Amino acid sequence: MSPLKRREFLFGLAGVSILAHFSCSSKKSPQTKEPEQNQESLAMLTRPHHLLDIISDYGQGVTYQPHPYGHSLHIVAPQLLADLNTKIKLVIAADAVCAGCKNLLPDGKCTDVLGQLTPSPAKQAYNDVLDARVLDCFALKPDTEMTFRDYLVIVNAHVPGIEEICTHPKENRQERLQGLVAGLVKLGVREKA
């Protein structure tokens, strides 16, 4: 990460809007929905970026195994991929993937840091900013409920583009884009390019 980009990111963590660096195309989300009031079935709490990770991993052929941190990605990802009609609730907080993680405090805060960045920001702050930017790009509000399939349609409408926001530090942006495209194709949401 160049010094200028790192500086912009750190300003973003402090709550300063750096739209020029993290802007997303002005495409409108085809399936934008407001939070549903009916609580007949509980929706799975999901961080928007965790869903993008799952789509990209699936496209790259990642197999899910229990992680040393103890989080639940190996449980959540196969469940979502097996049933695209799973109801999800997009949150900027600890979610179903975070469950069981050794770094998750009882109050739902994460104690981990991003060691690959210098200085190393708190993962909680980094993820909160990242998820807010993803939701903003998709024109969605926190606590929006929809099916995983509906989310995939929204992601597809922002590919390419969303990889500019959701590529993690030390990841290759082009590989991230390829993973997202391949995942959307495998899930039947996108035709082969």
Side-chain angles (χ1 to χ4, degrees), residues 108-126:
K109 300 296 181 194
C110 180
T111 62
D112 204 5
V113 297
L114 288 171
Q116 64 267 50
L117 295 178
T118 304
S120 299
K123 194 176 278 188
Q124 178 79 44
Y126 175 88

Side-chain angles (χ1 to χ4, degrees), residues 155-190:
V155 172
N156 188 52
H158 291 84
V159 170
I162 191 62
E163 77 282 356
E164 297 293 325
I165 294 173
C166 73
T167 300
H168 298 301
K170 305 289 183 172
E171 269 188 338
N172 180 290
R173 206 170 271 157
Q174 189 60 35
E175 287 177 13
R176 180 68 159 185
L177 174 59
Q178 291 170 350
L180 287 167
V181 168
L184 292 166
V185 169
K186 286 171 72 173
L187 291 164
V189 176
R190 186 182 189 96

Side-chain angles (χ1 to χ4, degrees), residues 23-24 49 66 69 91 93 107 111 119-120 135 171 175:
S23 65
C24 186
H49 86 272
Y69 281 9
V91 297
D107 67 358
T111 62
S120 299
L135 288 177
E171 269 188 338
E175 287 177 13

Side-chain angles (χ1 to χ4, degrees), residues 20 43 53 72 75 79 94 129 162 180 187:
D53 292 345
S72 299
I75 297 167
Q79 180 182 348
V129 169
I162 191 62
L180 287 167
L187 291 164

Side-chain angles (χ1 to χ4, degrees), residues 29-39 43 87-90 135 138-147 150 154:
S29 297
Q31 298 289 323
T32 302
K33 296 180 181 179
E34 291 298 318
E36 297 176 4
Q37 300 302 315
N38 188 342
Q39 295 295 325
K87 194 174 189 180
I88 59 171
K89 182 175 184 176
L90 302 171
L135 288 177
F138 292 164
L140 296 171
K141 295 179 181 176
D143 299 325
T144 297
E145 292 188 20
M146 64 181 64
T147 66
D150 291 338
I154 292 170

